[in-house]
Amino acid sequence: MVKRTNDGGDTDRPPESGATSAPEPGAGPVPESAWELPPDHEPGPETGRAPERPADAVTRRAAGVNLLALRSHNAALVLDLLRTARPEGISRLELAERSGLTPQAVSKITARLREEGLATDAGRRASTGGKPRTVLRLVPEAGHAVGVHLDRDELRVVLVDLDGRVVGERRAPLSLGAGAEAVLDALLGEVTEVLSEALGSGALSAPLGVGVALPGPLDHTRGVLHRVTGFPEWDGFPLRDALAARLGVPVVVDKDTNAAALGLAVGGERGSFACLYLGTGLGAGLVIGDVVHRGARTGAGEFGHQVIQLDGPLCSCGNRGCVEALCLAAMDRGDVAEAARVLGEGAANLAGLLDIDAVLLGGRTIMAAPEPFVRGVAVVLDAHARREGSREGAVPVRLAPGGARAVAEGAAQLLLGPVFGRRDG
C-alpha cells in the first residue's frame, strides 16, 4: 500500500502495484502510436465537419492531461472526493478532513489538478468564520474512457467521461465465431467511429484506453481468453495485447459479469452481492466487501456451469444439467417461470455459500421479462430461507440498473477505477 505523505502529499515516486496510475496488470503494452483515424474520418468537407482539428488531435491533447501518470495515491484520493462531491463541489478544508491529508498536502495536489485541467472552481461557500471558502469540483470532460461489450452476437461501444456519463455510443451485430481477425476489425472500426464522432463534436479530450468485457472464462491479469463457452477457437488468444498493439493505448480485458458488477459497485451498490447476468449465456459477477472478487486465477463467477441436474440436458461446456443449459432450454420453450425457478435454485446455492447481502439480476434475457424473473428468483430464495429458519429472512432480489449498456459502462470503469484509487478497477 502506498503511504500518504503529510508534508506535501503528492510525491513524484511511481505508485506501488495497484495504486493509481495505469490499470493494474491488465493494461498491456502501449506502442508509440496513438489514436490514428483513417482519412475518411478526418474532419473536412466530405464528413460535413469543419476541419478544426487534425486526426492526431487526440494524441496532442492527451499529452496535456496524462491521467495514467498520476503519481500518488493521495492524488487519486482527492480526485475521488472531487468526483463524489458532484457539481456542488468541496472545499480544500473538507478535502483535508475527509482524506486525512494535511491542508498543505491538499493545496499542493489541488493546485496541480487545476493546472492539468482536472479540477476547477465551483464558486464560494459561506464559512463559519473568516472569509468564504472556495469550493472545487471535478472537470468530467478532462478525460474519457472507452468501454466495449463483446457479446456472442453483438458489439456495443460506449465513450464515458470521468463522471461515468456516456457521451458516445455505437452498437453493431457481431458473430464471436467469425474468427479473431474479423472480430478485431469490427471492434476497431466501432471504437474508431465513436471516437471520431466525439472528436468531431469537440467532446473528446484524452482517452485513457479501452476496457473490453466479454464472456468467460478468461485470464483477467494477462488479458488472455480461455475456452469461451461455445467458441473453443478463442482458447489461448491474447486479446489484450492484440488490441493494445492495434489501438496504441492501454487495454484491460475482463468478463462481462465482472464489468457489470464493477459498474454497480461504482454506482453505489454497497456490501457483498452477486450480479447474475442472463443473456446469450449465464454468469455471475461477485462483489465481496465492496471489491470485485475474481479469484486466485481470475476465474471466479462461472456460475452458469454449476450442475444441478446430473442427467440433465447437454450444455455447450460439455457437462449435463448446468444452470445455464436448463435456463436457456426453458426460455427456448417460452417457459419464463421455469427459467426463473432454475435461476433461483442456482442463486440460493450461491447465497448459501457466500452469505451475500443481495442478488441483482441483469442481462438481455432478464430485461425482456424482468418482473417474472425477479419474482421467481425471490420465491425460491424465500423458500430456502424459511426451510433454514433464517432470522434475517431471504436475501433480497432486485433488478440491476443500467439496462442494455451496463456491461459496456462497467468495462469503461476498468480504466476509470484506478484513476480514482479503486484497486479492483
Side-chain angles (χ1 to χ4, degrees):
M1 179 176 179
V2 178
K3 295 182 179 179
R4 295 173 179 166
T5 58
N6 292 320
D7 57 350
D10 198 17
T11 64
D12 287 341
R13 71 178 186 273
E16 297 178 17
S17 175
T20 68
S21 54
E24 53 185 37
V30 182
E32 293 181 0
S33 61
W35 293 111
E36 295 178 1
L37 303 182
D40 59 331
H41 292 290
E42 293 186 30
E46 67 279 5
T47 62
R49 299 196 300 270
E52 303 168 340
R53 300 150 70 186
D56 64 347
V58 177
T59 307
R60 294 204 302 270
R61 295 190 66 184
V65 186
N66 187 4
L67 293 182
L68 295 181
L70 285 174
R71 292 166 296 180
S72 83
H73 174 68
N74 296 343
L77 185 62
V78 170
L79 269 174
D80 190 48
L81 290 171
L82 289 170
R83 180 180 61 87
T84 55
R86 300 302 178 190
E88 293 76 19
I90 185 172
S91 71
R92 291 177 181 82
L93 181 59
E94 290 171 310
L95 286 170
E97 290 173 346
R98 297 183 189 182
S99 67
L101 300 171
T102 66
Q104 294 85 354
V106 168
S107 291
K108 283 190 175 183
I109 293 170
T110 54
R112 186 162 69 82
L113 295 178
R114 284 165 57 99
E115 180 182 346
E116 294 180 344
L118 295 168
T120 190
D121 290 349
R124 291 181 174 272
R125 185 180 300 162
S127 174
T128 54
K131 62 181 181 180
R133 297 173 184 167
T134 299
V135 293
L136 302 172
R137 66 172 178 84
L138 180 72
V139 179
E141 60 272 19
H144 294 82
V146 177
V148 176
H149 181 190
L150 189 59
D151 208 346
R152 292 175 173 87
D153 59 359
E154 181 181 271
L155 172 65
R156 186 183 296 267
V157 178
V158 298
L159 180 68
V160 306
D161 64 17
L162 294 180
D163 252 345
R165 183 175 65 92
V166 175
V167 297
E169 180 176 9
R170 289 187 65 85
R171 177 185 172 195
L174 177 81
S175 172
L176 196 58
E181 286 303 313
V183 170
L184 293 185
D185 285 346
L187 192 156
L188 180 61
E190 294 303 319
V191 169
T192 300
E193 285 289 347
V194 80
L195 287 169
S196 177
E197 291 168 2
L199 183 67
S201 67
L204 188 64
S205 55
L208 297 168
V210 177
V212 181
L214 71 162
L218 54 82
D219 183 336
H220 164 68
T221 303
R222 297 190 300 125
V224 175
L225 305 188
H226 294 324
R227 191 174 290 270
V228 179
T229 305
F231 301 91
E233 64 272 21
W234 285 96
D235 189 17
F237 185 80
L239 180 61
R240 183 197 70 192
D241 291 352
L243 281 175
R246 292 194 181 204
L247 296 172
V249 293
V251 173
V252 184
V253 174
D254 206 347
K255 290 197 293 189
D256 48 10
T257 50
N258 287 344
L262 175 61
L264 290 170
V266 171
E269 190 69 32
R270 295 289 178 258
S272 300
F273 63 88
C275 175
L276 305 186
Y277 195 87
L278 179 61
T280 55
L282 172 62
L286 306 175
V287 173
I288 307 298
D290 295 323
V291 176
V292 175
H293 177 71
R294 296 185 175 91
R297 289 163 293 280
T298 73
E302 290 300 311
F303 169 82
H305 299 296
Q306 58 172 309
V307 175
I308 62 173
Q309 184 180 336
L310 292 179
D311 57 349
L314 183 66
C315 181
S316 57
C317 73
N319 290 326
R320 287 188 174 275
C322 292
V323 177
E324 177 180 302
L326 294 169
C327 272
L328 295 180
M331 291 303 299
D332 287 343
R333 300 192 303 270
D335 193 344
V336 177
E338 174 63 9
R341 185 186 73 81
V342 171
L343 185 60
E345 291 295 339
N349 291 342
L350 190 61
L353 181 66
L354 298 178
D355 193 20
I356 51 181
D357 300 315
V359 171
L360 284 82
L361 305 180
R364 73 170 77 166
T365 300
I366 288 174
M367 295 303 297
E371 291 185 12
F373 270 104
V374 172
R375 182 173 60 252
V377 172
V379 166
V380 177
L381 287 173
D382 183 64
H384 275 259
R386 283 188 281 104
R387 286 197 298 270
E388 294 162 1
S390 172
R391 295 181 180 179
E392 292 79 15
V395 176
V397 181
R398 302 194 303 275
L399 190 66
R405 64 188 189 194
V407 172
E409 290 186 52
Q413 290 297 334
L414 294 167
L415 275 299
L416 293 181
V419 172
F420 298 105
R422 286 193 67 96
R423 298 176 67 92
D424 62 335

